[in-house]
Amino acid sequence: MTSVKNNNMFPPGLVSNLQQVLLSRKGGGGEEEKESDLSNDDNDQSTEPSTSACVENTEEEANNNSKPVVLITNGDGIDSPGLRFLVEALVREGLCSVHVCAPQSDKSVSSHSVTLQETVAATSAEINGAIAYEISGTPVDCVSLALSGALFSWSKPLLVISGINRGSNCGYQMFYSGVVAGAIEALICGVPSLSISLNWKKEESQDSDFMDAVAVCLPVINAAIRDIEKGVFPQSCSLNIEIPTSPSTNKGFKLTRRSMWRSSPSWQAVSANRHPSAGHFMSNQQSLGLQLAQLSRDASAAGAARRLTTQRKNMVEIESVGAAGKSDSNRVKKYFRMEFLDKEQEDTDEDLDFRALENGFVAITPLSLSRHVEEDAHLAASDWIASTLHGDQ
C-alpha cells in the first residue's frame, strides 16, 4: 500500500483523496474506479462541442473574416450611449466586422495625449455582435494599440470611426478633443477615419438623440465603407462630422471649413474653508491610477531624501534638497477647477463649421495633417460629398 505523508501542508481530506487515487491506479479501485471512468466519459461527452456547433462557429468566423474590419473608438468612454448605439447599428447593417477599442472612462478632453511609462490595461467588454475591449488610456492609446497588431489579429482596418461624442468639436475646440484625436491618430497611421459629434445641449438633449444621430451619419459611414473598398474615398484627410442638436430635423450635409471658434475656459478657485479636506484634495475626475501614481512619486521622493554612499572606507551621508528640508507649512497651495463655457461668435461665414451646425446642417469638415495638402483634401471631400451623399439623398 502506497501512503502519502502529511507534513501539515495539506488538509486531511485532500490527503485521503490522494490515497484513493493512488490505490485506484494500483488496481484497488474496483467498482468505484469503473463508476468514476463512466462518469468521466459522460462529462467528456457533455462538454465536447457537437459537430454541427463546430461547423456553425467555423462558418461564422469565415463570414466575419470575409467582411471588412471597422474599428470604433471614442472620447466619452466605452459605456457612452453614442458609442453603444453606433455599434449596434453597424452590427445590424452587417456590412463590416465591428471591433471596439475605447477608453474605460471619460477622456473627452484628452487631446492627442498618450500614456508613457505606465502600463495600459485592455479588458474585454460585452457588446453584442462586436469584439470589444476597454482600455485604461486615452483615445489615441486605443487607436494606436488597436493598429499595432498586439491586441487584434489584424493591424489595419478598413476604417476607423471615433464617436459619437457628447458635445460639438468645431473650430479650435478640435485641439482639445479626444474624439477628434482618435481619428487623427488613424490618419497618421494611414487609415481612413471619421470623427462624429452631436451638438449636445444640457437643457434639451437626451440620450435618445444619439439614436437619431446614428441614423443621420449611417449613410456617410456606409458610403465611406463602399468607396474605400473601391479606392475613391478622399485620401490624406479625416472627416469631422458635426450633427446638430436636433438630428432628425437637420437640413442636410454641408461641406465646411474649420473656424476659429472655441469655448471659453473658466477657472474657479476652490476655497479651503468651504472644503475642509482641501489639504488632501484631488479632483473627482482623476482616476485611482493617478492617485496611486502620486502616492508612488511621494514615496520615491521620501526614499530619495536620504541615501548612503560608501567611498572607500568613509561613509558619507547625502541629503536631498528636493524633498528634505522643506516644510509644507511654508508653502502656499491653491486649488482650482476649470470648465468650458459657450460664447457667442460674430463670424457670419455660412461655410464655417460652427455656423453651419447652428443653422441646422450636418457639418463635414476635412482635417489634414499638412497645410500643403489641405486645399486638395478639401476639394476631394467636396467632390465625394457631391457625388455620393447628395446623390444618395
Side-chain angles (χ1 to χ4, degrees), residues 4-236:
V4 177
K5 184 179 180 180
N6 186 359
N7 289 327
N8 296 324
M9 296 177 62
F10 301 102
L14 177 59
V15 174
S16 175
N17 290 339
L18 289 173
Q19 288 176 333
Q20 291 180 7
V21 170
L22 291 173
L23 282 173
S24 65
R25 290 184 177 179
K26 291 291 185 178
E31 294 298 325
E32 292 181 359
E33 182 181 1
K34 293 179 181 179
E35 291 178 2
S36 176
D37 290 341
L38 289 174
S39 176
N40 290 336
D41 290 342
D42 291 341
N43 290 336
D44 291 342
Q45 291 177 2
S46 63
T47 58
E48 184 178 354
S50 64
T51 304
S52 60
C54 290
V55 172
E56 289 177 1
N57 291 337
T58 303
E59 290 177 352
E60 183 177 353
E61 291 177 2
N63 290 333
N64 287 335
N65 291 335
S66 65
K67 296 178 181 179
V69 173
V70 172
L71 175 68
I72 310 295
T73 191
N74 74 345
D76 293 339
I78 195 167
D79 291 323
S80 66
L83 181 141
R84 293 283 175 157
F85 287 141
L86 176 60
V87 171
E88 290 172 4
L90 291 175
V91 170
R92 283 196 306 269
E93 290 283 305
L95 297 179
C96 58
S97 176
V98 183
H99 289 62
V100 179
C101 190
Q104 67 183 16
S105 60
D106 188 353
K107 302 291 183 181
S108 55
V109 288
S110 59
S111 187
H112 209 98
S113 61
V114 296
T115 303
L116 296 176
Q117 299 179 345
E118 291 183 21
T119 300
V120 173
T123 307
S124 60
E126 293 293 333
I127 302 181
N128 289 338
I131 299 174
Y133 285 90
E134 59 180 47
I135 308 300
S136 63
T138 67
V140 174
D141 288 330
C142 295
V143 174
S144 179
L145 175 60
L147 301 186
S148 70
L151 182 62
F152 298 112
S153 59
W154 44 264
S155 59
K156 191 172 183 180
L158 183 77
L159 174 67
V160 172
I161 304 174
S162 188
I164 299 173
N165 187 72
R166 184 191 298 262
S168 65
N169 286 290
C170 295
Y172 287 170
Q173 203 69 17
M174 295 180 189
F175 295 115
Y176 298 101
S177 171
V179 72
V180 174
I184 294 298
E185 179 67 16
L187 179 62
I188 292 174
C189 297
V191 180
S193 62
L194 309 173
S195 53
I196 309 173
S197 300
L198 172 64
N199 190 23
W200 182 271
K201 300 292 185 183
K202 290 182 179 179
E203 301 299 327
E204 53 187 293
S205 298
Q206 50 191 358
D207 285 352
S208 60
D209 291 331
F210 283 109
M211 297 180 67
D212 295 333
V214 169
V216 168
C217 67
L218 207 54
V220 184
I221 296 172
N222 291 340
I225 293 173
R226 178 190 65 210
D227 289 349
I228 292 171
E229 290 186 303
K230 291 181 179 179
V232 295
F233 185 77
Q235 298 183 0
S236 302

Side-chain angles (χ1 to χ4, degrees), residues 93-374:
E93 290 283 305
L95 297 179
C96 58
S97 176
V98 183
H99 289 62
V100 179
C101 190
Q104 67 183 16
S105 60
D106 188 353
K107 302 291 183 181
S108 55
V109 288
S110 59
S111 187
H112 209 98
S113 61
V114 296
T115 303
L116 296 176
Q117 299 179 345
E118 291 183 21
T119 300
V120 173
T123 307
S124 60
E126 293 293 333
I127 302 181
N128 289 338
I131 299 174
Y133 285 90
E134 59 180 47
I135 308 300
S136 63
T138 67
V140 174
D141 288 330
C142 295
V143 174
S144 179
L145 175 60
L147 301 186
S148 70
L151 182 62
F152 298 112
S153 59
W154 44 264
S155 59
K156 191 172 183 180
L158 183 77
L159 174 67
V160 172
I161 304 174
S162 188
I164 299 173
N165 187 72
R166 184 191 298 262
S168 65
N169 286 290
C170 295
Y172 287 170
Q173 203 69 17
M174 295 180 189
F175 295 115
Y176 298 101
S177 171
V179 72
V180 174
I184 294 298
E185 179 67 16
L187 179 62
I188 292 174
C189 297
V191 180
S193 62
L194 309 173
S195 53
I196 309 173
S197 300
L198 172 64
N199 190 23
W200 182 271
K201 300 292 185 183
K202 290 182 179 179
E203 301 299 327
E204 53 187 293
S205 298
Q206 50 191 358
D207 285 352
S208 60
D209 291 331
F210 283 109
M211 297 180 67
D212 295 333
V214 169
V216 168
C217 67
L218 207 54
V220 184
I221 296 172
N222 291 340
I225 293 173
R226 178 190 65 210
D227 289 349
I228 292 171
E229 290 186 303
K230 291 181 179 179
V232 295
F233 185 77
Q235 298 183 0
S236 302
C237 72
S238 173
L239 299 183
N240 182 51
I241 303 170
E242 299 290 326
I243 301 174
T245 305
S246 180
S248 58
T249 60
N250 76 86
K251 298 179 180 179
F253 299 100
K254 186 170 187 177
L255 182 71
T256 57
R257 295 183 182 275
R258 186 176 65 195
S259 64
M260 292 186 292
W261 178 88
R262 77 175 181 124
S263 298
S264 299
S266 174
W267 286 94
Q268 299 293 329
V270 178
S271 172
N273 293 331
R274 288 167 47 201
H275 300 274
S277 60
H280 302 284
F281 172 81
M282 294 191 76
S283 170
N284 59 3
Q285 297 297 320
Q286 288 181 296
S287 67
L288 177 60
L290 288 177
Q291 297 181 39
L292 292 175
Q294 181 63 49
L295 291 174
S296 177
R297 286 192 291 268
D298 292 345
S300 297
R306 304 182 66 86
R307 64 185 176 89
L308 296 177
T309 303
T310 302
Q311 295 180 346
R312 296 183 180 178
K313 296 181 179 180
N314 297 326
M315 188 71 74
V316 180
E317 186 173 305
I318 299 176
E319 188 172 36
S320 169
V321 296
K326 282 191 176 182
S327 173
D328 285 341
S329 61
N330 297 328
R331 303 171 67 183
V332 176
K333 186 179 291 187
K334 299 181 179 181
Y335 302 92
F336 300 88
R337 283 185 177 178
M338 191 267 277
E339 63 178 342
F340 285 110
L341 302 177
D342 291 338
K343 64 178 181 179
E344 294 294 328
Q345 298 291 321
E346 298 180 357
D347 202 320
T348 58
D349 188 345
E350 300 294 330
D351 290 332
L352 294 179
D353 50 11
F354 83 93
R355 187 61 67 190
L357 186 65
E358 287 183 348
N359 290 337
F361 289 95
V362 178
I364 302 181
T365 307
L367 305 177
S368 57
L369 299 175
S370 171
R371 287 192 173 274
H372 298 294
V373 298
E374 189 170 300

